[in-house]
Amino acid sequence: MKKSLLTVALSALALSSAALAQETRKPLTFSEIQTIRIMAGGVVGNALAKTMERPHLGVLANRSVICNDLAGGIGGTLTVNKADSQLTFESVKDNAETAPAIARLLPSDGIYMAFGGEWKKEENMALLEAALEQLAEHHYKGSVIFHVTTWAQKQPQEIAARNPRIAKYFETATLRAVTLDLNKKEAMINKITFDGKDYKLSVAATAPLRDDLVELFKRQ
């Protein structure tokens, strides 16, 4: 009898664990995907509010719902938490819009590049390359900050590998990238150095991730 009860208990535990795992793997709804970007944007905006010496931030994103959710989270949190901050936001849908957008962002002390969302990697890279070309042409000295997806997909790295002008700009530019450590429940803003061949990242600032945001990330 005791063995039978133990067997039943273990079976129930296994079923419970399986149900929990299935729930964890449950695909995100589009609204949950938006929620991730809004909350993640808040984390980034809060970190930038604490670390930016000069408070004028530009944000450049593709014209997708998800990337604009992210930009809203960044801008809203930054401007609420840093009273003397200034925000300039630009969204672009094609290369023709990129040069005018960059011209409006040039006075910013840092430009946050958010290219991901519903768009294909190749489409995002075309916009990012056009934007980086403009920054190189204007010898932009502020911080160029790459979003998690933009950096993780190696968008800027692949662009620099095929575009010598941008690679040369990267050698002297102030580059930053946001990365995540879900195990530590942290987001990191990293300094990037590029010697023409290799990229090296060093953590400049960290920001905690809420448990509910981490759980959403794990379901992606």
Side-chain angles (χ1 to χ4, degrees), residues 110-126:
I111 300 176
Y112 194 95
M113 300 287 193
F115 292 100
E118 305 107 295
W119 289 31
K120 295 179 180 178
K121 179 181 175 180
E122 294 74 19
E123 296 171 329
N124 284 315
M125 286 180 64

Side-chain angles (χ1 to χ4, degrees), residues 162-204:
R162 72 185 183 212
N163 189 319
R165 187 180 186 189
I166 291 174
K168 192 67 177 175
Y169 173 64
F170 276 7
E171 290 183 35
T172 58
T174 302
L175 304 178
R176 303 285 186 267
V178 179
T179 59
L180 301 177
D181 188 328
L182 297 183
N183 291 326
K184 292 183 177 179
K185 300 181 181 180
E186 284 184 342
M188 287 81 70
I189 297 179
N190 303 274
K191 293 181 179 180
I192 304 170
T193 56
F194 178 60
D195 61 7
K197 182 180 179 181
D198 297 316
Y199 295 88
K200 293 183 179 178
L201 274 64
S202 58
V203 177

Side-chain angles (χ1 to χ4, degrees), residues 42-104:
V43 171
V44 172
N46 191 38
L48 291 174
K50 293 177 180 177
T51 58
M52 283 187 71
E53 295 180 7
R54 296 178 295 274
H56 187 176
L57 179 70
V59 180
L60 182 66
N62 67 33
R63 199 161 297 159
S64 69
V65 172
I66 292 175
C67 283
N68 284 264
D69 287 335
L70 173 76
I74 293 172
T77 307
L78 171 70
T79 52
V80 165
N81 286 281
K82 197 171 183 67
D84 60 346
S85 62
Q86 183 179 348
L87 177 72
T88 303
F89 171 61
E90 295 286 337
S91 68
V92 292
K93 69 174 189 250
D94 54 41
N95 285 6
E97 293 186 346
T98 304
I102 288 294
R104 290 187 286 270

Side-chain angles (χ1 to χ4, degrees), residues 138-178:
H138 288 90
H139 306 287
Y140 179 71
K141 298 298 184 183
S143 298
V144 181
I145 311 161
F146 300 112
H147 181 56
V148 175
T149 304
T150 308
W151 183 256
Q153 288 185 348
K154 300 186 181 300
Q155 294 180 28
Q157 300 95 310
E158 290 180 18
I159 289 169
R162 72 185 183 212
N163 189 319
R165 187 180 186 189
I166 291 174
K168 192 67 177 175
Y169 173 64
F170 276 7
E171 290 183 35
T172 58
T174 302
L175 304 178
R176 303 285 186 267
V178 179

